[in-house]
Amino acid sequence: QIGGIGSNVALSLSSVFLLKYVPIKPVLVTCNTLVLIILLAMTVMSKQSTVTWLMSFFVISNVIFCLACGASAVYISGMLAVASMLTPSAVKGFVLGQGSAGLFATVISIVTLSIPGTDPVQAGFYYFLIAALSLGLSLVGYVFFSRLSFVRNNTLEKRKKYRLRLCVDTTA
């Protein structure tokens, strides 16, 4: 646990520097796509028999998990950067959406484990499958979200530029 927390903090801090030099949209789309591919790989791996390659499976699973944690840390930092550009009322909606997503993941985890006659491996398969579908929907949602006129017209960054332009125009 401690190593996971440390790497998340390190990657979150490094993503602050990354987002200074790289546009935010490609970073978010790349991270979301990478985690989606990882979840799909883990979904397929959950159905494989690992009796003959147990140690290799263990190593592959840990490497995949580390990649997913790194991409998730950068993705979360990027989403918080997007939220910081929104107006206060939009930030409330963002935070509510984050809370709803956490509740959704918890409920799905409980439901997949509580299906009668389902073994934990089968529950894990359904959990990974639902997570991959949810992540795919979030990727599509983000692409559409960034194109909405509300987002383009109601970001604090645009308002600041507009106010600066007004200030320059009124003093000239």
Side-chain angles (χ1 to χ4, degrees):
Q1 262 322 9
I2 299 296
I5 293 171
S7 64
N8 271 345
V9 169
L11 285 166
S12 293
L13 290 175
S14 65
S15 68
V16 171
F17 297 110
L18 173 72
L19 292 173
K20 280 187 172 186
Y21 302 107
V22 180
I24 196 165
K25 188 172 182 178
V27 171
L28 292 177
V29 170
T30 302
C31 288
N32 199 333
T33 304
L34 179 63
V35 174
L36 178 61
I37 291 168
I38 288 169
L39 278 175
L40 290 173
M42 292 179 88
T43 303
V44 170
M45 285 176 59
S46 71
K47 291 301 244 181
Q48 303 299 316
S49 174
T50 59
V51 175
T52 58
W53 57 291
L54 192 59
M55 195 59 179
S56 299
F57 175 76
F58 177 74
V59 171
I60 291 169
S61 296
N62 281 318
V63 168
I64 287 175
F65 178 73
C66 290
L67 289 173
C69 285
S72 295
V74 174
Y75 180 74
I76 290 168
S77 296
M79 288 306 297
L80 291 175
V82 168
S84 71
M85 292 185 285
L86 298 174
T87 59
S89 60
V91 172
K92 289 178 188 174
F94 176 82
V95 172
L96 180 64
Q98 292 291 311
S100 299
L103 179 65
F104 176 72
T106 303
V107 168
I108 292 299
S109 177
I110 291 169
V111 167
T112 55
L113 287 173
S114 64
I115 297 173
T118 304
D119 66 319
V121 173
Q122 190 71 14
F125 170 76
Y126 288 124
Y127 185 73
F128 282 129
L129 184 63
I130 292 168
L133 291 173
S134 299
L135 200 58
L137 287 174
S138 89
L139 178 61
V140 170
Y142 174 73
V143 170
F144 285 120
F145 172 78
S146 62
R147 294 181 179 172
L148 290 175
S149 62
F150 172 81
V151 174
R152 289 188 308 236
N153 296 326
N154 292 305
T155 59
L156 294 175
E157 186 175 288
K158 183 167 184 170
R159 287 184 178 186
K160 286 177 187 174
K161 286 180 184 176
Y162 181 70
R163 284 184 193 147
L164 287 175
R165 197 173 342 127
L166 281 180
C167 291
V168 170
D169 289 342
T170 57
T171 59

